[in-house]
Amino acid sequence: MRILASYAPDALEGDADLAAIVHFAARLCEVRVAAVTLAGEESERFLVQQGSALGEIPREIAFCGHVIENGQMVEVRDATTDPRFAENPHVLGPRHLRFYAGHPLISSEGAAIGTLSVIDTVPRPDGLTDLQKEGLAVLAQAVMLRLSAHRKKLEVEREVEAREEMFRNLADSIPAIAWSATPEGHFDYFNQRMVDFTGLPDDQRGTAFHPEDWKKASALWQRALQTGEVYEVEHRLCRHDGEYRWMISRAVPVRDSTGKIIRWFGTAVDIHDIYEASESRELLAKELSHRIKNIFAVIAGLVSLSARQHPEAKELADDLTATIRSLGRAHEFVRPVDGARRDNLQSLLEELFAPYGSGDGARVKVSGDDLAINSRTATPLALVFHELATNSAKYGALATGEGTVTLRIADKGETVKLLWRETGGKAPKKSPKEGFGSRLVEMSVSGQLGGKWERRFEDDGLVVELALPKATIAA
């Protein structure tokens, strides 16, 4: 009975495939009645039949019981002469059953769970032909294939339900909001965390979103649906108590073997505390940046004030003041007070060379590749090129009205090469004197940036080549 129950036969009562098999069995064996019957503890049940309207019959008078007990085909050519059935009510009564042939239905476990039988009211002294017997056996196997397919379907459905239940339990256990959506974007599942957080069992329209964030989040979601790209957005979500909390939402598509999107899975994590802490740190950083900038200005002012009392140190003071201001510009570049932070090399250089003109009138022209730089390298880079520009303004191309400087940047993969070339200036010195400026460049390039530099004087002017590790300066 346990094996029979695993087939859930109730769902197959009147099944079209089984009805077709029964119909063909009746035609093959040239009988009026054919049926698929299943064994019961006290009765035999007709699952599908043709030519009869019986539902159940007691097991003690059922012909099929003999087939199930023997586990093999049983043929009764004339029931009135067979001692087993001569007194059977179906033989003596109005049904006038005379001929019967039944083939057992054997499960994969080897148990006989029912029969495929053919019945007639006319005796058949010669019985079924060999072809009819073989056909009845084949049709019995077809019945079992249909029953087995139904059982397999039920097993798969139960397995899917078990997995979905496990997924729901897992999703409900995580501290983040989790959800899933169809390929078209219809949200078909929210975990318990979503319900607990918003107090809404199903928020298809995004009513919990902050009004200022909904438009952006919705647009990004529609774009993700169209492109299949990962969806990610920061937004505020209304908690059940009315407080809006910052969340980061992310969804990824699940694809089948052909690459077609079959589902979206997403999460939303509460980052409100982190978000507020980040804003506090940013506010503190801006305040520190502002104070550092003021310190640069104060130092430059003190140097200038001291130089007035010591005229003999004016040249040194001017150089020192210019360097301090250059460092201030570098600091403002990577940590601006207004929050508009910039982080690329060409912009930093243009900021440093601004005193030497801009646009078409720029006397220091930067060209070539560009790359993002990190804040740690801005200061040594500023020192290097401030020193080169200052020396050029005193002794080189920028010391005359006709001189110009070109700075070419080349990204070589692991290395960034910068070529500083002066033209149209004063006659170059063939044997430059090694001074503080050269040592400063050496310290910045070799010590802080981990690179190399070479200086040479050609007929047109000074040429400086720098080779810096990209990993050191890149953001």
Side-chain angles (χ1 to χ4, degrees):
M1 292 302 102
R2 177 184 58 81
I3 294 174
L4 177 60
S6 69
Y7 288 92
D10 290 349
L12 290 176
E13 189 168 347
D15 180 73
D17 292 336
L18 294 178
I21 294 172
V22 166
H23 176 72
F24 184 71
R27 291 188 60 195
L28 174 68
C29 298
E30 300 175 333
V31 297
R32 294 178 55 253
V33 179
V36 171
T37 59
L38 299 177
E41 293 183 358
E42 298 180 356
S43 62
E44 303 293 335
R45 173 187 176 186
F46 285 79
L47 187 62
V48 178
Q49 57 185 311
Q50 176 178 310
S52 177
L54 291 176
E56 292 183 347
I57 57 176
R59 188 164 186 176
E60 61 269 16
I61 64 172
F63 281 45
C64 298
H66 295 272
V67 180
I68 294 172
E69 290 176 6
N70 295 330
Q72 58 187 5
M73 180 177 174
V74 172
E75 184 181 35
V76 181
R77 298 181 179 184
D78 186 351
T80 61
T81 62
D82 190 316
R84 295 172 297 176
F85 307 108
E87 302 297 326
N88 191 291
H90 293 299
V91 177
L92 299 176
R95 294 192 67 198
H96 297 294
L97 192 151
R98 295 294 180 266
F99 174 76
Y100 172 89
H103 198 287
L105 303 176
I106 307 298
S107 73
S108 58
E109 295 87 357
I113 62 172
T115 64
L116 172 62
S117 57
V118 290
I119 305 167
D120 210 342
T121 57
V122 179
R124 187 174 293 192
D126 296 330
L128 297 177
T129 66
D130 290 341
L131 178 61
Q132 290 172 330
K133 291 178 181 179
E134 182 180 354
L136 196 62
V138 171
L139 292 174
Q141 292 177 358
V143 171
M144 283 309 305
L145 287 175
R146 178 68 186 99
L147 293 175
S148 298
H150 179 64
R151 180 166 72 168
K152 184 64 176 177
K153 177 186 175 184
L154 294 176
E155 291 174 353
V156 171
E157 290 176 350
R158 284 192 290 267
E159 183 177 351
V160 170
E161 290 178 358
R163 289 185 178 181
E164 289 183 349
E165 181 65 21
M166 180 176 66
F167 165 76
R168 286 191 291 269
N169 291 335
L170 176 63
D172 287 341
S173 69
I174 63 177
I177 291 173
W179 50 268
S180 67
T182 65
E184 297 75 27
H186 175 76
F187 300 97
D188 56 5
Y189 170 75
F190 293 103
N191 70 340
Q192 188 60 39
R193 172 65 176 164
M194 174 68 168
V195 179
D196 294 341
F197 186 90
T198 64
L200 302 172
D202 187 6
D203 190 17
Q204 291 287 337
R205 297 183 178 274
T207 55
F209 273 71
H210 193 286
E212 295 177 2
D213 302 335
W214 169 246
K215 185 176 180 180
K216 174 185 176 182
S218 181
L220 289 175
W221 175 233
Q222 292 302 319
R223 177 183 175 185
L225 292 176
Q226 294 172 5
T227 63
E229 298 175 352
V230 172
Y231 166 77
E232 185 170 312
V233 65
E234 291 183 10
H235 62 88
R236 285 161 289 183
L237 200 66
C238 186
R239 200 165 58 184
H240 60 83
D241 58 2
E243 178 186 358
Y244 280 99
R245 305 277 296 179
W246 278 102
M247 315 288 288
I248 180 168
S249 291
R250 178 180 172 87
V252 295
V254 179
R255 303 176 185 271
D256 61 15
S257 57
T258 66
K260 180 182 178 181
I261 296 176
I262 58 175
R263 185 157 296 280
W264 286 85
F265 285 107
T267 58
V269 179
D270 189 330
I271 59 169
H272 191 82
D273 296 336
I274 299 174
Y275 199 92
E276 286 193 334
S278 177
E279 285 190 329
S280 298
R281 286 195 297 269
E282 185 65 22
L283 182 63
L284 178 60
K286 288 180 180 179
E287 179 62 23
L288 289 174
S289 179
H290 179 74
R291 295 189 180 189
I292 291 172
K293 184 180 179 181
N294 287 342
I295 290 173
F296 280 130
V298 170
I299 293 175
L302 290 174
V303 171
S304 299
L305 183 61
S306 298
R308 294 174 189 171
Q309 300 175 1
H310 302 279
E312 69 279 7
K314 183 178 184 306
E315 183 177 356
L316 175 61
D318 290 343
D319 288 346
L320 185 56
T321 300
T323 300
I324 292 171
R325 288 172 177 167
S326 177
L327 291 177
R329 287 196 298 271
H331 173 77
E332 173 63 14
F333 178 81
V334 296
R335 271 292 177 188
V337 174
D338 60 8
R341 177 173 176 172
R342 294 144 291 175
D343 58 2
N344 60 307
L345 179 57
Q346 287 206 19
S347 295
L348 171 63
L349 295 174
E350 290 172 1
E351 187 94 12
L352 294 173
F353 300 144
Y356 305 99
S358 61
D360 294 337
R363 299 186 64 191
V364 180
K365 296 185 178 181
V366 182
S367 63
D369 299 323
D370 197 6
L371 71 154
I373 60 173
N374 60 62
S375 58
R376 295 187 302 274
T377 60
T379 298
L381 284 171
L383 286 172
V384 168
F385 288 103
H386 168 75
E387 183 63 28
L388 292 176
T390 300
N391 284 339
S392 179
K394 290 181 178 179
Y395 314 114
L398 299 181
T400 65
E402 298 79 18
T404 59
V405 177
T406 60
L407 177 58
R408 177 76 180 173
I409 306 171
D411 186 345
K412 299 296 184 179
E414 296 183 357
T415 304
V416 178
K417 292 191 175 181
L418 301 99
L419 179 63
W420 172 280
R421 183 181 295 275
E422 300 184 21
T423 57
K426 295 180 179 180
K429 296 181 179 180
K430 298 301 182 180
S431 301
K433 181 180 179 181
E434 195 74 22
F436 173 75
S438 298
R439 293 194 296 273
L440 180 63
V441 172
E442 172 65 25
M443 179 181 65
S444 299
V445 173
S446 302
Q448 293 181 272
L449 298 175
K452 298 179 180 178
W453 74 296
E454 177 186 352
R455 178 182 57 180
R456 63 181 182 271
F457 290 90
E458 297 182 353
D459 293 339
D460 290 339
L462 175 67
V463 176
V464 179
E465 293 187 36
L466 300 97
L468 307 177
K470 188 175 178 180
T472 302
I473 67 174

